[in-house]
Amino acid sequence: MNRRVVITGMGAVTPVGIGVETFWKNLLAGKCGIGPITRFDPTNSRSSLAGEVSDFDPLQYQDFKTASHTDRCGQFALAAAEEAVSQSGVVGTVDPERAAVYLGTGIGGFETTEANCRKLVEKGPRRVSPYFIPMMIANMPAGSIAIKYGFQGQAIPSVTACASGSNAIGEAVRAIRHGYADVIVTGGAEAPITEVGVAGFNSMKALCTSEDPNAASMPFDKRRCGFVIAEGAGILVLEEYERAVKRGAPILGELVGYGTSCDAYHMTAPKPDGTGAALAVRQALQEANWRPGERVYCNAHGTSTSLNDAAETKAIKIAFGEEEARKVVISSTKSETGHMLGAAGAVEAIVCAMTLRDKIVPPTINLLEQDPECDLDYTPNKAREGEFDLAISNSFGFGGHNACVAIRPCK
Amino acid sequence: MDTFQLVQRALAKRVGVEPSEIAPETELMTLGVDSLDSAELLMELEEVLGVEIEVTSKIKTVKDIVVEIDQACKDG
């Protein structure tokens, strides 16, 4: 069985806007979603900036009881799912046993974990909440979405650090393609801006310590010095093509390729020659039936770390071949959003679909001094018009996880 | 404030209803309060009252919680 898979709904909760259209408009305008950390007091923190979702009210999307017993990560997932599922109009059209949820998160309920560890230390084990475990476990955002919509097919989390969102989407594509489900709500969510989380990433020297929001997330710039931690969610409703057409669903793009691999090299550092990442990109291009000469947009992983951006540039060159790689139009929207970890790939897949739809490429902002090691076309600082045959989204995570999803305009 | 009022107010806040909608004989299930909620509620009240309250499966109504608390206060 090799069925076609299309996107029929999308939802986004991001530091540059809540709701896909708002997010997209701000992204094209080059809005920077990075600002001072408010989720905790950053006085003692080496990093003082983050991409926070401001003005998020969970009660707009969930009842009081659900919201109070759902970690911020799951709240984002439910909010983005509400937008995506509502746009798709899928509820009531699908056998619940044929509807599934594949959701990525790198960490799960990090705020819940931190709050309960504090309670344990300060007040003892009797004060650890009975909701600590269910709110913290990384599969709960998937479970919560299944509960909300009554989807009884498989509910599967993907936990591959910063590739979680892309792996979830890719695995969902395979599940529909091969007949294990007809409709899948997929994507990723993350809410990692906690004191212990930021401290941990800081100790790894992974985070930028700049105090200037406009000189912090600087993918492919030689001044880059680490990523900026961010939060959010991106959700896509994927559906088998024939049923989507039959019911008159909005068709927002076709998922045509997926590749995934592991560097098998180091816990956190990407393989410097880019071959691990290139394997995932190459697989996705093969599945997408990419041909040299096609017009391609690439939403790069582009984290703004020294190692990633250089290795990813090499990976793109290996996967496409040097000559074709120079024609690929690339941008890293993490320059605007910061790095939403397990949500990043999902939000960036949405960016790919919107780029294909509107024929315009969101920019890599803060790209003033391009690194000679990063010598491709990264769409610096200003959105640019462009019509594409194919869009790919790269995501790479600690553990060496690599994932790439490929989208075409649906014909 | 007697124990019932204390429980009534804590429950009302938790489930988002008016305290007047909660009577001693109100079943927790009808308020959408499950076993995790009861455990969390008792934990919150332990903190306020400074006693240890055991969560048991016997707790079905608001009054059952009141009885457990009064017993704990007497023992404590």
Side-chain angles (χ1 to χ4, degrees):
Chain A
M1 198 179 282
N2 209 6
R3 310 189 302 171
R4 294 174 69 184
V5 182
V6 292
I7 307 167
T8 59
M10 302 193 294
V13 174
T14 81
V16 295
I18 298 174
V20 170
E21 296 296 342
T22 303
F23 161 65
W24 179 237
K25 186 173 67 117
N26 289 337
L27 203 64
L28 291 179
K31 181 181 172 183
C32 176
I34 290 159
I37 290 174
T38 67
R39 298 299 302 165
F40 64 88
D41 174 3
T43 306
N44 298 320
S45 173
R46 268 183 286 171
S47 288
S48 57
L49 299 176
E52 296 186 354
V53 176
S54 47
D55 303 325
F56 177 74
D57 177 10
L59 296 179
Q60 281 186 2
Y61 314 94
Q62 297 128 45
D63 63 56
F64 176 77
K65 186 169 183 287
T66 305
S68 57
H69 291 143
T70 303
D71 185 87
R72 188 169 169 87
C73 172
Q75 291 177 353
F76 288 157
L78 283 166
E82 183 64 25
E83 183 187 5
V85 171
S86 153
Q87 181 183 25
S88 77
V90 76
V91 171
T93 73
V94 60
D95 174 357
E97 294 184 7
R98 298 288 301 162
V101 184
Y102 279 51
L103 205 90
T105 177
I107 297 158
F110 214 167
E111 290 192 358
T112 298
T113 302
E114 184 177 80
N116 280 278
C117 287
R118 283 190 203 283
K119 278 189 200 163
L120 176 70
V121 171
E122 289 164 10
K123 297 180 173 177
R126 285 188 72 89
R127 291 294 171 271
V128 173
S129 169
Y131 279 100
F132 164 44
I133 300 295
M135 286 173 68
M136 168 272 283
I137 49 182
N139 56 302
M140 197 50 71
S144 298
I145 291 172
I147 290 167
K148 178 161 183 187
Y149 299 105
F151 289 174
Q152 294 164 21
Q154 64 274 43
I156 305 283
S158 99
V159 182
T160 50
C162 305
S164 301
S166 293
N167 272 133
I169 294 168
E171 296 299 325
V173 170
R174 287 182 178 172
I176 294 176
R177 184 182 286 160
H178 302 312
Y180 296 103
D182 295 329
V183 171
I184 301 185
V185 176
T186 184
E190 205 80 77
I193 308 171
T194 62
E195 194 166 10
V196 70
V198 170
F201 283 115
N202 262 324
S203 295
M204 297 173 68
K205 311 281 184 208
L207 294 184
C208 172
T209 52
S210 162
E211 289 174 7
D212 176 2
N214 297 311
S217 186
M218 302 179 283
F220 309 110
D221 190 294
K222 68 180 177 195
R223 301 166 299 153
R224 71 188 183 278
C225 54
F227 73 83
V228 175
I229 197 166
E231 59 181 2
I235 298 285
L236 298 89
V237 177
L238 301 187
E239 204 162 336
E240 188 273 318
Y241 171 75
E242 299 287 347
R243 83 177 301 283
V245 170
K246 205 165 154 188
R247 72 177 186 87
I251 294 180
L252 312 169
E254 179 171 1
L255 262 299
V256 290
Y258 169 49
T260 187
S261 68
C262 185
D263 278 358
Y265 169 76
H266 185 269
M267 285 174 78
T268 57
K271 209 171 172 185
D273 65 6
T275 51
L279 175 58
V281 178
R282 199 182 70 216
Q283 289 170 347
L285 291 177
Q286 276 170 355
E287 234 179 59
N289 204 19
W290 167 75
R291 292 282 173 264
E294 286 195 303
R295 300 161 298 177
V296 180
Y297 167 64
C298 170
N299 188 293
H301 189 51
T303 55
S304 180
T305 64
S306 172
L307 293 176
N308 176 82
D309 299 358
E312 183 171 13
T313 297
K314 288 178 188 158
I316 293 169
K317 288 180 186 173
I318 296 167
F320 283 92
E322 179 101 18
E323 195 188 331
E324 287 295 319
R326 297 203 175 278
K327 296 182 210 155
V328 174
V329 178
I330 302 165
S331 62
S332 169
T333 43
K334 287 187 182 75
S335 57
E336 287 104 334
T337 61
H339 190 352
M340 295 173 277
L341 310 185
V347 170
E348 290 157 11
I350 291 171
V351 171
C352 286
M354 296 302 276
T355 297
L356 293 173
R357 183 192 79 173
D358 290 352
K359 304 177 176 55
I360 184 162
V361 182
T364 304
I365 61 169
N366 309 324
L367 182 44
L368 304 179
E369 300 174 36
Q370 193 167 330
D371 182 352
E373 271 203 274
C374 304
D375 56 351
L376 296 174
D377 176 2
Y378 306 105
T379 321
N381 306 311
K382 277 204 161 48
R384 188 202 301 167
E385 288 184 7
E387 192 171 348
F388 299 95
D389 305 304
L390 180 69
I392 64 169
S393 168
N394 290 345
S395 299
F396 315 127
F398 289 162
H401 305 285
N402 306 304
C404 176
V405 296
I407 304 174
R408 286 189 188 276
C410 192
K411 283 172 190 155
Chain B
M1 198 188 319
D2 66 17
T3 310
F4 170 68
Q5 285 174 318
L6 187 72
V7 174
Q8 188 188 40
R9 286 184 193 191
L11 265 175
K13 193 174 150 213
R14 174 167 294 270
V15 297
V17 300
E18 288 299 315
S20 58
E21 293 175 45
I22 298 173
E25 58 277 10
T26 304
E27 290 194 11
L28 297 173
M29 286 290 279
T30 63
L31 294 171
V33 172
D34 59 25
S35 62
L36 293 179
D37 294 322
S38 319
E40 196 178 51
L41 175 75
L42 289 177
M43 190 178 283
E44 180 186 321
L45 295 173
E46 276 189 347
E47 183 122 13
V48 174
L49 299 167
V51 294
E52 288 195 4
I53 310 161
E54 279 315 311
V55 183
T56 71
S57 54
K58 284 185 298 186
I59 292 174
K60 300 272 189 281
T61 65
V62 177
K63 189 164 173 247
D64 293 339
I65 296 179
V66 173
V67 169
E68 287 294 330
I69 292 173
D70 284 342
Q71 186 64 43
C73 289
K74 209 164 78 185
D75 297 344

